[in-house]
Amino acid sequence: MELLDRFTLWAVYIGTVVAVLLAAEIGFRIGMWAKRRDPASKKPGMAGAVFGGMFWLMAFLLAFCIGIVINQHNGRKAMVVTESNAVGTAYLRAGFLNESDQSLTRDLLKEYVDIRLAAAADPTLIDSTLSRSEEIHIQLWSQIEEMASQGQDSDLFALFVESVNEVIDVHSLRLAAIDQRLPRQLGVVLYAATILSFLLVGVASSADGERNMMAILLFALAFVAVFMIIVDLDRPQEGLLTVSQTALSDLLKQMSSVVP
């Protein structure tokens, strides 16, 4: 659903409702035109069969797409917990270092968690957060190289190095999880099939020459609401179904309570 990212969720919802209602109206007019062209034709059964088949297809598409975005959403949530554990371990293992190195490392890790929480709350900060995160990675690794050059080679130091390395690795994994989106082609097919389905709703409603606009409106509102679940879940930190950052928030509180 990357094609819809430029619009807010409410704009997508309202726009899609308008689009499907317009499609239903066009379908109704096409059906009425066909009846006027051939008044003797009485084939409501065929329209109903096509209508039913299309909505079985839509049910399958919706379930399939929801399954994909839910798995991606759960993956993002799991990566937050993984990152929290990695940073928390590095923070604790920084206690193996001397006082000055310990203080610098823990300050950097606190800032690391803080800026990532800020970016989750405000997506406009993502670029600056990524840049600063990579700077912190370089600072931490430079510190490790300096300590190694000074003869640090104990088993406890090795554990600290391992934990910092994991923080850097998890950063890349989390970026990959964020970049996982519903395939563009699948999103286009889903949106087009939604419009086509309501076109068939209009054609089917022309069988008796009357359309129930209230029923079609309520159906459109409910149907598009389900469609919006997919759009919402496909956006990591926007809308109602965002990725919880509780693990990182709790970690920041624990960091603040630890006396270096």
Side-chain angles (χ1 to χ4, degrees), residues 53 77 131 172:
K77 290 197 296 184
S131 177
S172 299

Side-chain angles (χ1 to χ4, degrees), residues 9-205:
L9 289 174
W10 276 111
V12 173
Y13 180 71
I14 294 172
T16 304
V17 169
V18 171
V20 297
L21 290 176
L22 182 60
E25 179 64 20
I26 291 173
F28 178 82
R29 291 177 182 273
I30 289 174
M32 294 301 295
W33 172 81
K35 287 181 65 176
R36 287 194 299 269
R37 187 178 180 186
D38 186 9
S41 178
K42 302 280 187 181
K43 298 180 180 178
M46 179 60 70
V50 174
F51 173 77
M54 188 65 193
F55 272 89
W56 274 111
L57 175 62
M58 282 304 303
F60 170 77
L61 274 174
L62 286 171
F64 182 67
C65 292
I66 286 176
I68 290 175
V69 294
I70 284 178
N71 285 337
Q72 292 173 347
H73 184 75
N74 288 338
R76 295 184 190 113
K77 290 197 296 184
M79 287 311 304
V80 173
V81 176
T82 300
E83 181 169 68
S84 174
N85 291 337
V87 176
T89 299
Y91 188 85
L92 292 175
R93 289 180 180 177
F96 300 151
L97 309 177
N98 60 48
E99 186 175 349
S100 61
D101 290 330
Q102 177 188 136
S103 178
L104 175 60
T105 299
R106 288 184 166 176
D107 285 345
L108 287 173
L109 291 173
K110 278 183 182 179
E111 181 187 357
Y112 190 76
V113 174
D114 190 50
I115 62 175
R116 293 171 90 79
L117 285 171
D122 183 2
T124 62
L125 299 176
I126 288 179
D127 289 340
S128 60
T129 295
L130 291 179
S131 177
R132 180 55 186 155
S133 294
E134 291 168 1
E135 289 175 1
I136 290 175
H137 294 163
I138 293 172
Q139 287 180 267
L140 288 171
W141 201 254
S142 296
Q143 184 184 8
I144 288 173
E145 290 177 342
E146 182 179 349
M147 287 185 288
S149 67
Q150 294 173 355
Q152 288 270 19
D153 60 356
S154 67
D155 291 340
L156 293 178
F157 177 68
L159 288 175
F160 171 70
V161 174
E162 178 187 352
S163 62
V164 171
N165 188 62
E166 186 176 0
V167 170
I168 297 172
D169 289 344
V170 171
H171 168 76
S172 299
L173 292 174
R174 193 173 177 193
L175 286 181
I178 292 174
D179 288 339
Q180 287 184 339
R181 306 289 300 274
L182 189 72
R184 177 175 297 184
Q185 295 86 346
L186 186 55
V188 170
V189 168
L190 178 61
Y191 202 91
T194 299
I195 300 298
L196 181 57
S197 297
F198 276 84
L199 187 71
L200 289 175
V201 168
V203 172
S205 66

